[in-house]
Amino acid sequence: RIAIYCFLLLLGSMYIGGFVLSFFGVSLPVVQLSGGLLITFAAWRMLNDAPAEASPGVEKIENREVLKQRAFYPLTFPLTVGPGSISVAITVGASLSSAGRGLEKFAVAPLAAVAAVAAISVLTWWCLTHADKLMRYLGRTGSVVFLRLTAFILLCLGVQIIWEGFSGLVEPLLKSIGK
């Protein structure tokens, strides 16, 4: 389900993301800043949460609707497909309109873009499908260490995306002051 959501979210971002942002008057730096904050908060939560095996009374989630919701948020967005991926997809989508003429513009470039998104989604599915083998190999302690390291890297990525968005918002102001 996460891989399907990734495919749809990236494809939607590529083909309609630019129109949605311009309709609401939202710039890419604002998407980066707010998405970076979202990723940073999720990573911070992952860093500070007690490990599942350490928490008494952790119950299995049986409600399929809750699992479906978690498959989209936070597992698909913002953890797998975040603001960085979305802004790249929007940029690729915008460049498709200027991708040459005729067959290249209307067939080759769009099909190549869809194939790339499909390949990313298949790789995501493969990684998620085999994640349990990695976790069994790592054991409980290794899994906790892996989760904490992943959360820290995710926190760094969130801060980097925030910085890119902030820089994109402040740079035009600094240029206008310098003139």
Side-chain angles (χ1 to χ4, degrees):
R1 186 172 295 273
I2 294 168
I4 292 169
Y5 287 157
C6 286
F7 178 79
L8 295 173
L9 188 56
L10 285 172
L11 211 59
S13 297
M14 191 180 310
Y15 287 108
I16 63 170
F19 298 114
V20 171
L21 291 182
S22 65
F23 178 77
F24 288 108
V26 178
S27 66
L28 278 178
V30 170
V31 171
Q32 289 173 320
L33 187 64
S34 55
L37 285 169
L38 196 60
I39 288 174
T40 302
F41 291 143
W44 187 259
R45 234 178 307 131
M46 287 171 61
L47 275 172
N48 291 302
D49 280 350
E53 67 273 358
S55 301
V58 173
E59 299 175 16
K60 250 186 169 176
I61 300 172
E62 299 292 334
N63 187 346
R64 291 184 71 72
E65 289 304 313
V66 171
L67 289 174
K68 286 180 184 179
Q69 288 174 0
R70 287 189 179 167
F72 183 77
Y73 178 84
L75 295 175
T76 301
F77 178 79
L79 296 178
T80 306
V81 176
S85 306
I86 289 173
S87 58
V88 168
I90 291 170
T91 304
V92 168
S95 69
L96 286 177
S97 62
S98 62
R101 295 186 218 163
L103 187 63
E104 181 184 348
K105 181 176 184 172
F106 296 107
V108 176
L111 287 176
V114 171
V117 170
I120 290 167
S121 299
V122 168
L123 285 172
T124 300
W125 170 83
W126 186 84
C127 289
L128 292 172
T129 301
H130 293 88
D132 63 330
K133 293 175 188 165
L134 175 64
M135 292 298 133
R136 276 196 310 267
Y137 175 74
L138 291 174
R140 286 183 181 218
T141 303
S143 296
V144 170
V145 169
F146 182 77
L147 176 68
R148 298 295 189 219
L149 288 174
T150 304
F152 178 71
I153 291 169
L154 191 63
L155 181 72
C156 293
L157 287 171
V159 170
Q160 179 65 39
I161 293 169
I162 290 170
W163 181 254
E164 292 294 323
F166 179 75
S167 298
L169 291 171
V170 171
E171 188 177 331
L173 294 173
L174 294 175
K175 285 182 180 178
S176 67
I177 291 172
K179 289 183 180 182

